[in-house]
Each structure stands twice: as C-alpha cells, then as structure tokens.
Amino acid sequence: MNTWLIIAGVALTTFLLRASFIVFADPQRFPPAFRRALAYVPPAVLAAIVAPGLLLPQGVLDFTLANARLPAGLLAMAVAARVRHPLAPIAAGLPALWLLQWLLG
C-alpha cells in the first residue's frame, strides 16, 4: 500500500506542476520569441520519438536498404505531408513496412 501512495503522490505532483503552467501562466505575457519557439515543440518531440524507431531498429544506426523501417517511414512522412490526414500515413506506411519485411525476409 505504501508503494501505491508514493506512486499516487508523484503522479499528483507531476500533474500539479504541469497544470500550474497551463492554469496560472498568461500566454500573452510570454516574450514573442518564446511564443514562436513553442510552435516547434510538438514537431521536435515527435521527431525525437520517431527517429530512433526508424534509424535504430537493432540499437545501431542502420541507413542500409536492409532496414525496412526507413523507406516505410519515409513513405509515411511523404504521405502525411501530401494528404494531411492522420490515418493516411498509417494506411500507407504499415503495409509498406510489412511488404518490405516480407521481401527482405
């Protein structure tokens, strides 16, 4: 029970710290350069999550054609940029990945 109380306490503390920034901060008082920089946070976070999955499939950098994730990921990115629908890159990239994995063995 003590472990669960600690987990709940840490979760509540984390939530309150993040919520305080949203609830108490006035975005209009932020400097303009800071507000412009905030626009780049979501793409940077997404890139930090996706890039290791595409480029480090076995824990080492792999830019070869044997890495099926790289061309499938590039195809998914191209579809996302062209179509602008959240399901389109999944619908294009996943079958491409499966096909490439099947072809490469």
Side-chain angles (χ1 to χ4, degrees), residues 4 20 27 34 40-41 78 80 90 93-94:
W4 287 108
S20 68
F34 183 74
Y40 296 104
V41 170
I90 297 170
L94 215 53

Side-chain angles (χ1 to χ4, degrees), residues 18-26:
R18 292 180 185 196
S20 68
F21 182 74
I22 295 169
V23 172
F24 299 119
D26 181 16

Side-chain angles (χ1 to χ4, degrees), residues 20-89:
S20 68
F21 182 74
I22 295 169
V23 172
F24 299 119
D26 181 16
Q28 301 307 321
R29 293 182 56 199
F30 293 152
F34 183 74
R35 283 187 295 198
R36 281 193 306 271
L38 283 177
Y40 296 104
V41 170
V45 169
L46 183 62
I49 293 170
V50 171
L54 293 180
L55 301 175
L56 303 165
Q58 303 298 327
V60 260
L61 275 174
D62 187 3
F63 291 106
T64 65
L65 291 177
N67 177 7
R69 292 180 182 192
L70 186 57
L74 292 173
L75 173 69
M77 285 186 247
V79 169
R82 177 80 174 136
V83 177
R84 298 288 220 204
H85 189 278
L87 294 179

